[in-house]
């Protein structure tokens, strides 16, 4: 049996169970596993000391292989199945067995916290989540921020729960943050289903007050389009900030006179180049 790319099998863990229509005194055993080719070789033998007998033609035999890790979500490639005689002569073959659809898992227990929830503040965000599917040691976490946010030299300032996958690194493109785990491509290290992985990122500029959009968080293979788990969660509440100092003066204080009004403020929020200032007169 040859599995499509993305499946992971481990020798010593995969066994054949729930066997049907292979003969009352027969059993199928896993003889060998080739992890690189994703190939499982099974042998038909007599069960419990019975001599092996042939499987009748046209019978629908089946068995279940255990402990095989699914690939990324989406439609898999094709499977290949071949049968041979004891002397390795080919009998039957199915070289293009259609793939199966693998669904995205759920990132669980997602919590997003922010150091300052005032509008347009340069803040530090912490994203905490629990994985469902195993993330390979060279996998990634992708965080997509909604419109209104701005990234100002974002930096990964803290992380937790990544096990032995090495030191993660952060890159970004537009409003997408990508955290690369630190293991090489051929590493056996991985992040299994866990009680919590967290990443703390500075340099995230809050949107305007009242934003009620969503973050999209994903765990992926090295190719970020090969998604494992996903969660879409509500953004944190953003509130209006306060000018640290503000003043208003007029050039003429006599009633009915035309004058100039001078408005002075100091800001704490990050002001974009297309910002507007609104002044309401009594």
């Amino acid at each position: 049996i040859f599995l499509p790319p993305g499946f992971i099998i481990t020798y010593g863990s995969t066994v054949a169970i729930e066997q049907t229509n292979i003969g009352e005194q027969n059993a199928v055993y896993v003889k060998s596993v080739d992890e690189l080719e994703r190939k499982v070789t099974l042998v038909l033998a007599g069960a419990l000391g019975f001599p092996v007998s042939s499987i009748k033609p046209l019978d629908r035999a089946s068995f279940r292989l255990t402990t095989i890790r699914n690939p990324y979500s989406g439609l898999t490639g094709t499977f290949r199945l071949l049968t041979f005689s004891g002397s390795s002569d080919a009998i039957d073959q199915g070289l293009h067995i259609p793939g199966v659809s693998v669904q995205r898992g759920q990132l669980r227990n997602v919590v997003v916290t922010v150091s300052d929830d005032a509008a347009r503040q340069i803040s530090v965000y912490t994203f905490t989540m629990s994985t469902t599917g195993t993330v390979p040691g060279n996998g990634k976490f992708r965080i997509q921020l909604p419109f209104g946010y701005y990234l100002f030299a974002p930096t990964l300032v803290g992380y937790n729960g990544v096990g032995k996958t090495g030191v993660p690194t952060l890159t970004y493109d537009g409003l997408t943050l990508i955290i690369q785990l630190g293991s090489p491509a051929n590493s056996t290290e991985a992040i299994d289903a866990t009680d919590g992985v967290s990443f703390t990122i500075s340099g995230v500029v809050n949107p305007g007050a009242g934003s009620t959009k969503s973050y999209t968080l994903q765990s992926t293979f090295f190719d970020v389009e090969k998604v494992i788990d996903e969660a879409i969660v509500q953004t944190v509440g953003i509130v209006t900030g306060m000018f640290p100092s503000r003043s208003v003066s007029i050039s003429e204080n006599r009633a009915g006179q035309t004058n100039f009004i001078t408005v002075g403020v100091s800001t704490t929020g990050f002001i974009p180049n297309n910002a507007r200032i609104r002044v309401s007169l009594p």
Side-chain angles (χ1 to χ4, degrees), residues 213-231:
K213 299 179 182 178
S214 300
Y215 310 112
T216 300
L217 293 82
Q218 297 171 330
S219 60
T220 75
F221 280 68
F222 181 79
D223 180 349
V224 292
E225 299 306 321
K226 297 178 178 179
V227 177
I228 303 170
D229 296 332
E230 180 180 73

Side-chain angles (χ1 to χ4, degrees), residues 80-101:
R80 289 188 292 155
L81 175 62
L82 303 93
T83 58
F84 298 89
S85 68
S87 55
S88 299
D89 296 321
I91 303 174
D92 297 323
Q93 63 180 14
L95 302 181
H96 301 286
I97 301 173
V100 296
S101 179

Side-chain angles (χ1 to χ4, degrees), residues 111-133:
V111 177
V112 182
T113 58
V114 60
S115 61
D116 191 332
D117 61 358
R120 305 304 291 175
Q121 290 295 309
I122 302 176
S123 302
V124 178
Y125 276 71
T126 298
F127 300 88
T128 301
M129 67 210 79
S130 298
T131 60
T132 298

Side-chain angles (χ1 to χ4, degrees), residues 177-255:
L177 298 158
I178 297 176
I179 299 152
Q180 168 72 66
L181 298 179
S183 293
N186 58 354
S187 173
T188 59
E189 298 296 341
I191 297 178
D192 291 318
T194 175
D195 289 336
V197 177
S198 67
F199 302 100
T200 300
I201 301 169
S202 64
V204 179
V205 180
N206 292 337
S211 179
T212 57
K213 299 179 182 178
S214 300
Y215 310 112
T216 300
L217 293 82
Q218 297 171 330
S219 60
T220 75
F221 280 68
F222 181 79
D223 180 349
V224 292
E225 299 306 321
K226 297 178 178 179
V227 177
I228 303 170
D229 296 332
E230 180 180 73
I232 299 175
V233 297
Q234 184 84 17
T235 55
V236 297
I238 302 299
V239 299
T240 303
M242 179 67 71
F243 294 120
S245 64
R246 57 271 186 200
S247 63
V248 177
S249 62
I250 57 178
S251 61
E252 175 61 66
N253 62 0
R254 288 179 297 173

Side-chain angles (χ1 to χ4, degrees), residues 12 19 38 64 67 72-73 75 98 118 126-127 144 152 181 186 200 203 207 211 217 230 244 246 261 274 276:
Q19 304 173 16
R38 304 174 304 281
R64 185 188 297 266
T67 324
Y72 47 87
S73 58
L75 184 65
T126 298
F127 300 88
Q144 295 173 301
F152 185 75
L181 298 179
N186 58 354
T200 300
S211 179
L217 293 82
E230 180 180 73
R246 57 271 186 200
I261 297 177
N274 61 346
R276 294 179 296 172

